[in-house]
Amino acid sequence: MATLGNPQNTIAVLQKYKFNFQKKFGQNFLIDTHVLEKIISAAGVREEDFVLEIGPGIGTMTQYLCEHAREVAAVEIDKNLIPILQDTLSIYGNVQIIQQDILKMDINRLVQEKNQGKSIKVVANLPYYITTPIIMGLFESHVPIESITIMVQKEVADRMQVGPGTKDYGALSLAVQYYAKPEIVAHVPPNCFMPRPKVGSAVIRLTKHKQPPVQVVQERQMFALIRASFNQRRKTLVNGLNNAPDIFYSKEEIVQALEEMGLPPNVRGETLTLEQFARLSNLLGMTHTE
Ligand code: SAM
């Protein structure tokens, strides 16, 4: 089986198996060897690594991963791709093809069984329709992870990287930055994929923090505050929190906490840093919880 990372070989495989692209699965296969090499090098895959690939497609990037890593687990939802993967990856003894929905998979168990619970690397050209749940699922389920190197929609990569004062800043920026250090490593135009996506793409590496950069007593509460403040962007933080069904502090309590932080009562959530959300959560946590 020839290496896949170019249009001719990809077309040959697709024709051999009469494969039909499924839009609902966000299928845009990479057909550019430079981009593939860039992803592998940005991920820093080494021969001792266990790598989880989400959505291997026809196995284009998987081949590269198998060449560089100790072991690869490739999780693909589309049943029709499994026989193709078995063919394109047949020469590799270090890959496990798993037919599963990544959002329903117990990744912690996989890491226990395959890597003795030690940190793994995640590398993927993600299906764009579920980028956020995949990333948040990996972080919130506390899977032992060293880094996540992924192709995502360009706007989503921007959102993960920015700080307060920009239009892209939001709940995703804060969540990602709480768990990891984000770095955009490449911009990738639509012509590097088959079929071409309608949007630009970017490769972003999220290097997991060993310790969160801020001290927060109730992580869940901080994220509830963050979600509530960005759900109603045009409202002040106090009104946003007051209207949220899962936040039970009174306006007075919120205003008092803001005052202690040196912030005015009409401050907007989008101007607060991660440190300030952590402080607000800690201060409110001391007033009372319901
Ligand atoms: N890695 C391949 C490449 O770069 O050419 C394919 C990338 S394509 C953007 C996304 C892949 O994720 C598709 O193969 C799609 O079938 C798969 N996928 C979509 N939803 C999934 C899910 N919930 N769980 C696992 N794989 C999924």
Side-chain angles (χ1 to χ4, degrees):
M1 172 58 61
T3 333
L4 294 166
N6 69 50
Q8 296 75 24
N9 295 350
T10 299
I11 290 169
V13 169
L14 297 175
Q15 286 180 343
K16 178 175 170 192
Y17 286 90
K18 298 187 174 51
F19 179 76
N20 290 317
F21 286 98
Q22 297 253 30
K23 222 173 163 187
K24 67 171 178 188
F25 289 144
Q27 292 175 340
N28 301 96
F29 298 163
L30 267 168
I31 49 164
D32 186 304
T33 50
H34 299 294
V35 175
L36 287 154
E37 279 156 20
K38 182 92 198 175
I39 297 173
I40 302 296
S41 111
V45 177
R46 295 184 301 260
E47 59 186 25
E48 64 269 27
D49 286 333
F50 178 88
V51 176
L52 167 66
E53 186 190 8
I54 300 163
I58 59 169
T60 311
M61 193 154 71
T62 328
Q63 292 185 334
Y64 281 74
L65 292 170
C66 289
E67 295 283 347
H68 290 81
R70 188 193 87 233
E71 211 177 333
V72 180
V75 180
E76 174 55 61
I77 196 170
D78 187 351
K79 287 192 184 71
N80 295 331
L81 286 167
I82 304 304
I84 304 184
L85 287 164
Q86 282 161 349
D87 181 3
T88 59
L89 302 174
S90 59
I91 63 159
Y92 298 104
N94 59 342
V95 60
Q96 184 186 5
I97 302 161
I98 305 169
Q99 198 261 311
Q100 257 269 34
D101 177 348
I102 191 69
L103 296 177
K104 296 193 180 137
M105 198 167 141
D106 184 349
I107 305 173
N108 271 306
R109 195 166 131 199
L110 178 81
V111 178
Q112 274 307 331
E113 284 172 6
K114 294 280 175 185
N115 208 36
Q116 293 78 48
K118 292 196 297 285
S119 289
I120 63 162
K121 286 182 176 153
V122 178
V123 184
N125 170 16
L126 284 185
Y128 294 172
Y129 74 109
I130 42 170
T131 301
T132 303
I134 291 177
I135 296 172
M136 293 320 297
L138 288 169
F139 285 142
E140 284 171 358
S141 57
H142 295 282
V143 175
I145 287 177
E146 202 177 315
S147 63
I148 303 176
T149 307
I150 40 175
M151 177 87 70
V152 297
Q153 193 176 328
K154 186 193 166 298
E155 285 71 22
V156 177
D158 289 341
R159 261 189 263 153
M160 291 187 214
Q161 225 194 5
V162 292
T166 55
K167 70 165 177 29
D168 290 329
Y169 184 59
L172 182 65
S173 330
L174 285 154
V176 164
Q177 291 165 31
Y178 178 70
Y179 290 108
K181 179 171 127 216
E183 289 161 282
I184 293 178
V185 291
H187 285 107
V188 183
N191 63 6
C192 295
F193 301 86
M194 185 184 294
R196 294 179 184 196
K198 290 198 179 68
V199 292
S201 302
V203 179
I204 189 163
R205 179 180 53 222
L206 311 175
T207 310
K208 186 103 183 278
H209 295 308
K210 299 248 176 325
Q211 296 293 331
V214 295
Q215 297 259 313
V216 58
V217 182
Q218 296 180 51
E219 227 174 69
R220 280 165 65 102
Q221 169 177 275
M222 179 180 76
F223 284 114
L225 294 175
I226 289 173
R227 273 194 307 274
S229 11
F230 286 98
N231 269 348
Q232 299 188 306
R233 262 179 188 270
R234 274 164 300 156
K235 291 211 158 41
T236 63
L237 178 65
V238 175
N239 285 336
L241 298 187
N242 197 48
N243 293 341
D246 55 343
I247 309 264
F248 304 104
Y249 299 105
S250 68
K251 274 194 176 186
E252 293 67 35
E253 285 168 331
I254 302 167
V255 170
Q256 197 188 337
L258 290 176
E259 201 172 288
E260 269 191 58
M261 294 168 63
L263 295 172
N266 62 349
V267 70
R268 285 176 192 278
E270 66 205 29
T271 66
L272 265 65
T273 61
L274 178 61
E275 290 72 18
Q276 287 172 315
F277 274 111
R279 176 112 198 272
L280 179 64
S281 170
N282 291 343
L283 283 170
L284 288 172
M286 284 191 284
T287 38
H288 77 244
T289 35
E290 280 186 40

